[in-house]
Amino acid sequence: MNTAIITAIARRGISGLQLNTRSYTAQSKPTLSFKQFIQRGKVLAMYRKYMRLLKQIPDKKTRKEMCEWIRFDFDKYRSETDSQRIEVLLGQANRQFKEMQSSIFSAV
């Protein structure tokens, strides 16, 4: 057991200690199929690519607006479950990413 936890228990007793724990049940999150799991990873990777690209925009206001736009677009399709539609959206996101990347590097 961690010494900090032991010290906290000794000072406050078990009832006074609050641990940050999460418990997920099968009912709270549906189980993803393998294809859905892979697609989820692709979507998250694309989102991370956008966020890394935003760091290269020198103007803070423009960077913030672009971040809001990207978040809005990703949130808009968050509940999409059709795998073919997700692949189409990933393709669109990839094309937009390349356009955005070339415009940022040509402006810098």
Side-chain angles (χ1 to χ4, degrees):
M1 209 173 189
N2 189 337
T3 57
I5 294 174
I6 294 170
T7 307
I9 291 171
R11 286 187 190 152
R12 293 184 232 155
I14 288 277
S15 62
L17 182 65
Q18 295 178 357
L19 298 176
N20 184 12
T21 59
R22 294 182 181 176
S23 61
Y24 292 106
T25 62
Q27 295 173 354
S28 66
K29 286 193 174 190
T31 304
L32 299 176
S33 70
F34 181 71
K35 186 172 186 173
Q36 291 171 328
F37 177 77
I38 297 299
Q39 281 186 329
R40 181 179 182 274
K42 288 179 183 180
V43 170
L44 290 173
M46 179 59 68
Y47 184 80
R48 286 187 207 110
K49 280 174 61 173
Y50 271 109
M51 292 300 119
R52 283 192 291 273
L53 184 62
L54 288 179
K55 291 179 184 178
Q56 298 172 6
I57 298 175
D59 183 39
K60 287 185 178 186
K61 183 179 177 185
T62 305
R63 187 181 324 133
K64 184 179 179 189
E65 289 172 357
M66 294 298 291
C67 183
E68 289 171 358
W69 171 69
I70 291 165
R71 283 184 181 159
F72 174 78
D73 268 4
F74 274 83
D75 280 341
K76 186 164 81 172
Y77 298 107
R78 179 178 287 229
S79 62
E80 186 65 54
T81 56
D82 181 26
S83 62
Q84 290 179 334
R85 178 75 175 132
I86 293 171
E87 288 297 327
V88 169
L89 291 168
L90 280 169
Q92 289 175 355
N94 199 22
R95 283 189 295 279
Q96 290 176 349
F97 177 82
K98 289 178 183 178
E99 290 176 20
M100 187 174 158
Q101 189 177 33
S102 65
S103 66
I104 288 174
F105 286 126
S106 65
V108 174

